[in-house]
Amino acid sequence: MVLTSVGKMVGLQKKTSGIRNICILAHVDHGKTTLADCLISSNGIISSRLAGKLRYLDSREDEQIRGITMKSSAISLHFVKGDEEYLINLIDSPGHVDFSSEVSTAVRLCDGCIIVVDAVEGVCPQTQAVLRQAWLENIRPVLVINKIDRLIVELKLTPQEAYSHLKNILEQINAVTGALFTSKVLEERAEKETESENVSDPARGDQIYDWSAGLEDTDDSHLYFSPDHGNVVFASAIDGWGFGIEHFAKLYSQKIGIKPAVLLKTLWGDYYLNTKAKKIMKGDQSKGKKPLFVQLVLDNIWSLYEAVMKRDKEKIEKIVTSLGLKIGARESRHADPKVHLNAICSQWLPISDAVLSMVCNKLPSPLDIAAERVEKLMCVGARTFDSLPPETQELKSAFMKCSSEGAAPVIVFVSKMFAVDAKALPHNKPRPLTQEEIAHRRELAKRRHAEKLAATQGKELLEKTLNENPSEVTGNTGDTKGGERQLTDQAESVTSKAVKQEADSKESFIAFARVFSGVVRKGQKVFVLAPKYDPAESLRKLSSQSSATDDLPLVPHMTACRLENLYLLMGRELEDLEEVPAGNVLGIGGLQDFVLKSATLSTSPACPPFTPLNFEATPVVRVAVEPKHPSDMPQLVKGMKLLNQADPCVQVLIQETGEHVLVTAGEVHLQRCLDDLKERFAKVQISVSAPIIPFRETITRPPKVDMVNEEIGKQQKVAVIHQTKEDQNKTPEGIQVDSDGLVTISTPNKQATLSVRAMPLPGEVTRILEENSDLIRTMEQLNTSLNEDKKKHEINQKTMDRIKEFKQKLEQHLQGRKWRNAVDQIWSFGPRKCGPNILLCNFEGYKRSVWQCLGNAVKEVSKYGDFDNSIVSGFQLATLSGPMCEEPLMGVCFAVEKWEINKVGEILSTNSQDSEEYDATEHNQNEDTTLTSSYTDKVCSANEHQDSSQSVTESPEKISKHKGEALLADCYGPFSGQLIATMKEACRYALQEKPQRLMAAMYTCEIMATAEVLGRVYAVLSKREGRVLQEEMKEGTDVFTIKAVLPVAESFGFADEIRKRTSGLASPQLVFSHWEIISSDPFWVPTTEEEYLHFGEKADSENQARKYMNAVRKRKGLYVEEKIVEHAEKQRTLGRNK
């Protein structure tokens, strides 16, 4: 096909109804990029012979080497179907779990997606993940079942077996979609019920609860994939063929004489053809007949493959002539039968026609955007659409119309920023020369050549004259001057070249975006709205009509910028555009100083920021990075900033220790980030630390069995009690510890006493707290605004319901005597006020709860009121770094059971302001003494001054009170600071009174392997502390799917080892799953002979928790208890044996 010009593409962009924004989603290695190649070759961008081999959209070198896609890239295709012309903006996305963030960025910009499934492997974990992502973004999917050639060539199935296998795959995919749909319907129904309960009258009698109601009423037929709906294509992208059943329905309707509509309904399903009656009958299996699909479709494909593979020339010629195809001699004589096969199939059933016509028929244009999706995009966090300002709600119609009129507000969403080499930008590219320029250059070359000839002739004449008259050397000196000038010219040209090269090698950032409304023009000024921008707040300062060109007051999270360049994304190429109308995907240049990762651009300040992207993978793999030469540090910092901008999932941190840390989603992702840092962004040699593995610290109930699985008997219990007594003797002075773990501690100035107890939270409660961290953060914000007496208008009903539901869940799981009223007593969550630990306020005389946003809290004034924040801060610090290895705590509840402030403490709390004022005046009077005297002298001089000043001032008692209190504050620092430190210490000691445990981050690991390598997979898993959860065989294949859990700490090099051990027949997918307690006690020491044998210094097995804890302590520079001499008895003498 002829290559489409940019002008044609620009024309098609203006016709919104003919635009289709689609992405290709699938599990890794299911054939997305090969399918994309086939679609691109239909536009003449690449040769059809190279489709599948070139992998055009994998433009990075490491993508080509590894054979996997690592970034989503877009290309615009032109497709003609009958009289209609379509512009298809195609985005190819990665399938590897490490790059699932790239899938999120692609899905947000599309209206539809192609789900690709391998016909042999069927539904895989990542297939389910991408279906869920498409569902969450409300985009419509169509299905391509790829690699059908593997059923013929590899598995050698008969057409009948292949048909039942394909039916199974369709059922599996529809089951995933059905589960998503069911959960949505039940959620909506629950919401409706709660609304009706609020409205309905109480005297209506009992209601029978019916689960199925709601599911039966809703129509879900459009959701499922079925060939007769026209949303399934069967294909083999590598062989270049694909078909939907409508192709065969048209073909056979002429031959058999049955209407195409009837054939379309019956070609897939339990129907067979009665050849005598020329009728289609139902019930093929019961009568032992071939289904229509097998008889009319699969049999033909199977016989073609058989003929080509066996080189049956007569049969091939017969097939080719009957289909009316023209096959070149080169293809038919080729040594590889696949080439011949590709030539026949790509003409008979071209995959691009089948897939693109399905896309145009079944996937929506930007005009058909669902109202539900628009509302979802516009509502950030827990806000409902109705709670948005009226000006913002009006923008919904602009979204729905997707109009490109001048008056329509411009709304653009940037889903990611990607780095491009500056040489690849259109204005830096060498362009083809015109005829005039070629003629001009020819003239210049001729002139230069003539000058050169003249110069050489002149030199020869000069030499002759010099030989004749050696005394005249003046000309020679002139020549050297000329030579010097030439050298300086050369030097200048070299430096200018170097500057030019530096400019060329610079990375330029382009925003990957889509226009949802209005027309974007080059040089236009727009507002950049960050994710935290609130239109309601800004509309108080600005009018909804104000534009980005006006001089406007500062509004938080909003800046104005100019769109420098607009690009048409064409895979590896970029084309300049002047304007882009609504509904199109585009690249925008010049936003790198305004957008970090994603943002919303608009000309209207009423536009809300879009909801943040849903990322499936959580970054857990951390490494510390530093340059090999310290002088390169500024380049590394700059490079890491650029990397952070270029990758949607990576996180770049500077830790308290000063380390520069890179947090990535997995090993492959980490490798890519490090390569980018070395070669593109920082361009310096870097050294990378071993992965920093995250752990959590927790406490458990006292164990019933010891490390060698023997029940802890009475004797051992006595030993344990003695041990605890010894430990108690170790506790510092001023700290009292009860037998049940209650720690009592006083502040340094003895004005306040705290009693704290630590308890392990039930596992279910920890999970609920983790899942609702965003809701807890929202509650914290609401409570803060209530304490500052702000209006309560921001709390909408939906958020209130979610908070109530969260509270009910906690009450449900925190039951029993020791948790009585615990939920109402929750004072704070931690760390960072939204973590999985709880602080309980369990003492008399003070009530403060996190539930005050529900409206049941009364602001009370008490002696504790001023210092409650100090207690909470101390708790936050204690939960942020535990005593074992300074890692955050998880699943711990701290109860403050006593908090006493004595009289002086109360005075401190009431008169703190007065003391500060007095302190200032006293300091001015006594400046010399305070500067020169020591700490004790300072106290004495202050006392003397206090005595002398009593006679002078009007109220001596008041001053002495201030002075005493100022002393208390001075000696040990501010009282609030003392409370923070005391609370932190109390929490740490309370924690150490209970059995402490480490929690390890765990991956779920899915491995697909054949039966012969199953043993090797198990060997690698057991070596790395993995635990197999389930193992099942895929129907119709010899492939096993193994589900296991594996500690993140043991996962490095796991994928490579499995591939090596299984000769590449098994490859794992690792996804972060949960935190799990390591059962062994890190502080346990073997006492008996048997224990020493199992866990002593020379034993085979070691204490896993202790190993991890010591590794973290070593890395953080904390004290580690270990023996330096390891093999004392193996000492060798240095003297030689004579």
Side-chain angles (χ1 to χ4, degrees), residues 792 800 807 824 849-859:
K792 203 179 166 183
M800 294 296 279
K807 191 179 177 186
D824 291 323
S849 146
V850 289
W851 310 111
Q852 68 190 79
C853 54
L854 293 173
N856 52 8
V858 182
K859 199 174 181 186

Side-chain angles (χ1 to χ4, degrees), residues 14-17 19 365-371 374 393-405 407-409 411 514-518 581-583:
K14 288 172 183 162
K15 189 186 156 202
T16 318
S17 59
I19 297 170
S365 74
L367 292 171
D368 305 327
I369 190 166
V374 172
Q393 291 188 32
E394 281 167 22
L395 289 175
K396 184 182 170 183
S397 60
F399 267 102
M400 301 296 289
K401 282 178 193 165
C402 197
S403 67
S404 303
E405 295 164 15
I411 301 170
R514 169 173 169 184
V515 188
F516 281 90
S517 164

Side-chain angles (χ1 to χ4, degrees), residues 550-846:
D550 306 339
D551 285 332
L552 301 168
L554 279 173
V555 176
H557 310 295
M558 180 173 95
T559 50
C561 83
R562 192 176 296 283
L563 305 176
E564 287 175 17
N565 295 298
L566 305 178
Y567 301 111
L568 176 69
L569 303 169
M570 292 296 289
R572 300 177 186 190
E573 309 292 321
L574 294 166
E575 300 290 347
D576 258 325
L577 297 173
E578 287 304 312
E579 60 173 46
V580 179
N584 285 289
V585 173
L586 79 158
I588 305 173
L591 288 181
Q592 65 203 67
D593 300 331
F594 302 96
V595 178
L596 180 62
K597 292 186 187 232
S598 66
T600 312
L601 312 178
S602 179
T603 50
S604 162
C607 178
F610 282 27
T611 48
L613 299 162
N614 299 302
F615 288 153
E616 287 281 319
T618 44
V620 282
V621 180
R622 293 165 173 253
V623 289
V625 181
E626 62 182 25
K628 288 224 169 124
H629 307 292
S631 57
D632 293 334
M633 198 67 194
Q635 281 115 295
L636 178 70
V637 173
K638 193 178 165 192
M640 287 182 86
K641 277 182 187 168
L642 294 174
L643 175 68
N644 187 32
Q645 195 167 14
D647 194 306
C649 191
V650 79
Q651 289 175 13
V652 173
L653 317 165
I654 298 177
Q655 290 193 324
E656 295 90 350
T657 52
E659 289 177 305
H660 287 73
V661 173
L662 214 61
V663 193
T664 58
E667 261 190 292
V668 185
H669 186 211
L670 172 66
Q671 197 54 52
R672 191 195 81 172
C673 290
L674 292 174
D675 289 347
D676 277 356
L677 204 54
K678 281 182 217 164
E679 290 156 25
R680 295 181 71 180
F681 300 129
K683 292 186 178 164
V684 293
Q685 286 298 307
I686 56 174
S687 49
V688 183
S689 74
I692 300 168
I693 297 133
F695 287 99
R696 294 284 180 269
E697 296 181 28
T698 189
I699 51 174
T700 56
R701 289 179 176 178
K704 288 180 182 167
V705 291
D706 64 6
M707 284 278 284
V708 284
N709 284 339
E710 284 184 1
E711 200 171 324
I712 295 176
K714 281 185 182 175
Q715 289 176 332
Q716 280 165 315
K717 274 185 183 170
V718 170
V720 168
I721 290 162
H722 283 306
Q723 181 75 30
T724 51
K725 279 185 180 171
E726 279 174 31
D727 290 347
Q728 277 175 8
N729 295 338
K730 285 177 194 172
T731 52
E733 286 178 35
I735 297 169
Q736 298 167 6
V737 181
D738 292 3
S739 56
D740 59 345
L742 184 71
V743 172
T744 306
I745 186 169
S746 296
T747 52
N749 64 4
K750 303 287 183 281
Q751 299 309 321
T753 309
L754 287 167
S755 294
V756 179
R757 186 194 305 281
M759 296 178 282
L761 282 173
E764 197 60 31
V765 174
T766 311
R767 192 183 60 78
I768 291 167
L769 292 176
E770 268 203 299
E771 284 170 1
N772 291 289
S773 60
D774 289 340
L775 184 65
I776 295 170
R777 208 175 277 124
T778 311
M779 282 165 58
E780 179 61 33
Q781 287 166 359
L782 295 174
N783 290 341
T784 313
S785 62
L786 283 173
N787 289 341
E788 290 167 5
D789 294 328
K790 284 185 182 174
K791 288 179 184 174
K792 203 179 166 183
H793 67 87
E794 288 177 18
I795 309 177
N796 61 45
Q797 195 53 44
K798 199 173 179 183
T799 313
M800 294 296 279
D801 292 342
R802 280 179 66 203
I803 294 171
K804 281 175 187 166
E805 189 187 340
F806 170 55
K807 191 179 177 186
Q808 281 169 1
K809 275 186 191 170
L810 288 178
E811 282 168 349
Q812 191 181 330
H813 292 288
L814 288 175
Q815 287 180 343
R817 189 170 52 81
K818 69 172 181 177
W819 297 111
R820 192 175 294 140
N821 300 330
V823 177
D824 291 323
Q825 291 169 352
I826 295 176
W827 193 353
S828 179
F829 299 97
R832 299 190 179 91
K833 299 200 174 178
C834 60
N837 303 290
I838 288 177
L839 176 66
L840 295 185
C841 164
N842 207 358
F843 57 91
E844 297 288 317
Y846 175 76

